[in-house]
Amino acid sequence: MKNKTTRMQAILDIIASQSVKSQGEFVRLLAKRGYEVTQATLSRDLKALKVTKVATDNGGYVYILPDSNEVKDKMLTLNQGPAAPNDMVGFVSLAFSGNIAVIKTRNGYAGGLAYDIDMSRPAEILGTIAGADTVFAVIREGVSKERAIQVLQRFIPISHNNFKQND
């Protein structure tokens, strides 16, 4: 009989390698790996691992692990930002309206991006508000768009293709 620790590692491996849409599918995938579990046991394991279900672009759901680790949070708090903003594959576009930066993302990416910006506490940004696919970042008065773009480039891969000029 396989123990709880190896079963939970198998859950993590499945999440990392596949898009799992339901607990029933999870139970079947675990069974293929030799773990016979009930839905109740799986539910407890998912809760213990802090696994969550998020909406996908096609209207379905998929299980994911939270992406905020203590090390990443500490880096953000130290104002270092993410290591590689080009990894932000969910970023779609950036536009400005007055002192508000409107950052469009793929569905489900906005909350994480807003969190990263807020945790890094850049002096140029007062704060953010996130929806499912949009982040509003309030830029401090007196900060130019150019400077705001420089700050935001720590978090998102801004190029001419995804920056929308409003002027």
Side-chain angles (χ1 to χ4, degrees):
M1 179 170 172
K2 298 185 177 188
N3 67 28
K4 181 177 179 176
T5 304
T6 59
R7 181 180 71 238
M8 291 180 81
Q9 185 58 53
I11 291 170
L12 295 174
D13 294 343
I14 290 170
I15 291 171
S17 63
Q18 300 178 49
S19 293
V20 183
K21 297 166 187 65
S22 69
Q23 285 192 2
E25 183 179 357
F26 238 128
V27 168
R28 286 188 296 279
L29 291 168
L30 285 168
K32 285 183 182 178
R33 292 177 178 224
Y35 300 95
E36 297 296 328
V37 297
T38 65
Q39 182 274 329
T41 298
L42 174 64
S43 188
R44 284 190 295 274
D45 288 350
L46 294 174
K47 184 176 181 178
L49 292 168
K50 296 182 172 51
V51 172
T52 188
K53 210 173 185 183
V54 296
T56 62
D57 287 342
N58 63 6
Y61 291 89
V62 65
Y63 287 95
I64 64 164
L65 290 169
D67 193 29
S68 60
N69 299 326
E70 288 180 33
V71 173
K72 180 180 175 188
D73 289 351
K74 187 168 185 111
M75 285 181 62
L76 290 168
T77 302
L78 293 172
N79 211 20
Q80 295 176 358
N86 289 328
D87 290 343
M88 177 64 185
V89 294
F91 172 67
V92 175
S93 67
L94 169 68
F96 287 90
S97 179
N99 69 327
I100 297 174
V102 180
I103 305 165
K104 298 298 275 180
T105 69
R106 290 181 50 219
N107 191 25
Y109 285 79
L113 175 59
Y115 177 83
D116 287 351
I117 293 169
D118 287 341
M119 283 296 291
S120 73
R121 297 180 179 92
E124 298 85 352
I125 299 175
L126 295 173
T128 64
I129 299 173
D133 64 358
T134 305
V135 175
F136 293 133
V138 179
I139 309 301
R140 189 174 300 279
E141 287 190 42
V143 174
S144 69
K145 284 183 188 175
E146 293 75 21
R147 178 63 189 145
I149 290 169
Q150 287 175 342
V151 170
L152 291 170
Q153 281 181 318
R154 292 176 29 215
F155 307 96
I156 53 179
I158 301 169
S159 70
H160 292 295
N161 295 335
N162 53 29
F163 175 62
K164 298 179 180 178
Q165 294 278 354
N166 293 1
D167 312 303

